[in-house]
Amino acid sequence: MTQQKGKRWPAISRNTAGARQVFDLTMNLVHIFCAMGVPEMELITPRRETRLMPNFERLAPERTTQYQQLKNRRRLDGRPKNIL
């Protein structure tokens, strides 16, 4: 995982508005399940293109950072994330 403060960030971030981190994965094994217990889902609205990207593209980079620091300070268990 590379975060905004990481040295590799400029090379891999692709200037995606609102991005905080990038995962570079190598998969060695994929396990297949029958999926009988997985609910069916349907994409209703592509929020990335209609809400996320336009919102962050109109913000200045420092405002994006302020927003992310405000909204992403803690994990679900209440501990600090330390990602920004």
Side-chain angles (χ1 to χ4, degrees), residues 45-77:
T45 304
R47 292 177 38 183
R48 181 178 192 270
E49 291 81 12
T50 60
R51 295 180 70 190
L52 179 69
M53 296 299 287
N55 182 53
F56 283 110
E57 285 171 349
R58 76 171 190 262
L59 291 177
E62 59 274 0
R63 288 285 295 135
T64 297
T65 300
Q66 289 173 353
Y67 175 83
Q68 291 173 338
Q69 288 173 341
L70 176 68
K71 299 292 185 179
N72 298 288
R73 289 183 182 167
R74 302 211 172 267
R75 303 182 330 189
L76 291 175
D77 62 6

Side-chain angles (χ1 to χ4, degrees), residues 2-78:
T2 300
Q3 299 174 353
Q4 285 180 340
K5 57 188 174 185
K7 292 179 184 177
R8 292 182 22 183
W9 182 258
I12 63 174
S13 68
R14 297 185 190 100
N15 295 322
T16 301
R20 309 183 294 226
Q21 55 206 9
V22 174
F23 289 86
D24 183 12
L25 305 172
T26 300
M27 300 179 80
N28 296 320
L29 175 68
V30 176
H31 199 93
I32 299 173
F33 290 94
C34 66
M36 294 296 283
V38 178
E40 291 184 28
M41 297 183 190
E42 178 181 349
L43 178 63
I44 297 171
T45 304
R47 292 177 38 183
R48 181 178 192 270
E49 291 81 12
T50 60
R51 295 180 70 190
L52 179 69
M53 296 299 287
N55 182 53
F56 283 110
E57 285 171 349
R58 76 171 190 262
L59 291 177
E62 59 274 0
R63 288 285 295 135
T64 297
T65 300
Q66 289 173 353
Y67 175 83
Q68 291 173 338
Q69 288 173 341
L70 176 68
K71 299 292 185 179
N72 298 288
R73 289 183 182 167
R74 302 211 172 267
R75 303 182 330 189
L76 291 175
D77 62 6

